[in-house]
Amino acid sequence: MRHRRRGRVLGRSSSHRRALYRNLASAIFLTERETSELDTNAPKVKGRIITTLPKAKEIRPLVEKCITLGKKGVAAKAAAAQFGTTAERNTEAWKKWRESEQYQKWNAAMSPAICARRKALQLLGDKTAVKILFDTVAPRYMDRAGGYTRIMRLAKPRLGDAGTRAILEFVGQNDRVSQRAQKPSFGDAASS
């Protein structure tokens, strides 16, 4: 019996399962990358991957955790910017800033951002995905408290084994804007 056992095994060993989660989580961030005409594997829709429903349900908490880490890193970097310098690296002004108390404050304020990047790299295992996470995805959700992704079940099953497919996508990226119909005004008909 599987009483009190969290998570799905998905028919894989623990190392294979961890690698699968890491690859799928980094794949959703890599769909946000800038594409060029030479990119043969460009995503059809940014911020969206199609996988099976159980895999999507397992990956969603990992993606949400990475975005939360990204938000903490972006906030720490913004707080450290007040102690930073605009001088070019290895110039006299930069060297003077390096030896000042401002550098110590900048270093202390910047350490949570570096820690968040390292933790995200540990979870995702892809430097490009981490860069996209901290540069484009995390700033988009700075004013959102949680719920950065959604899972939508697809109607057509997977060919071959009829597995239930699902879309895992970022919220706010491909949202449909629904407008309510205007209420008819019966004032004109009642007066005539």
Side-chain angles (χ1 to χ4, degrees):
M1 286 188 238
R2 288 182 49 90
H3 294 308
R4 298 179 61 124
R5 289 208 164 175
R6 286 183 58 238
R8 294 168 176 84
V9 178
L10 300 174
R12 290 165 170 81
S13 65
S14 61
S15 60
H16 188 182
R17 191 169 49 249
R18 198 166 39 247
L20 171 80
Y21 292 168
R22 187 175 285 170
N23 287 334
L24 282 173
S26 62
I28 194 167
F29 291 114
L30 289 175
T31 60
E32 294 281 331
R33 70 185 184 275
E34 296 297 322
T35 57
S36 66
E37 63 238 12
L38 302 176
D39 192 3
T40 57
N41 195 20
K44 291 180 183 175
V45 180
K46 288 189 174 202
R48 175 186 285 182
I49 59 171
I50 298 174
T51 183
T52 61
L53 187 63
K55 287 179 191 174
K57 286 182 177 180
E58 284 296 310
I59 287 155
R60 185 178 187 179
L62 178 62
V63 172
E64 304 256 341
K65 184 176 185 180
C66 288
I67 294 174
T68 304
L69 277 172
K71 284 173 52 176
K72 288 180 182 176
V74 168
K77 191 173 182 180
Q82 63 181 344
F83 303 116
T85 183
T86 57
E88 262 318 295
R89 194 173 174 91
N90 291 328
T91 61
E92 289 301 319
W94 184 81
K95 289 178 183 177
K96 189 175 179 183
W97 172 74
R98 263 310 278 267
E99 295 166 358
S100 70
E101 192 175 312
Q102 288 290 97
Y103 173 73
Q104 299 297 327
K105 292 178 183 177
W106 177 84
N107 199 3
M110 195 66 175
S111 63
I114 294 170
C115 182
R117 274 190 183 264
R118 287 177 178 163
K119 182 68 176 170
L121 182 62
Q122 182 183 12
L123 292 173
L124 294 175
D126 189 357
K127 288 183 181 180
T128 310
V130 171
K131 182 172 175 25
I132 292 168
L133 165 66
F134 280 84
D135 292 346
T136 60
V137 178
R140 188 186 313 155
Y141 295 115
M142 287 304 288
D143 57 343
R144 192 177 181 97
Y148 313 112
T149 57
R150 77 166 64 94
I151 297 174
M152 293 186 300
R153 189 183 297 228
L154 289 175
K156 281 189 171 183
R158 186 167 60 182
L159 289 176
D161 65 349
T164 307
R165 294 187 311 159
I167 294 174
L168 179 68
E169 70 178 1
F170 292 126
V171 172
Q173 191 71 358
N174 303 310
D175 290 349
R176 293 187 187 138
V177 179
S178 61
Q179 295 177 346
R180 299 187 79 173
Q182 295 288 333
K183 289 186 177 181
S185 61
F186 296 108
D188 297 338
S191 63
S192 56

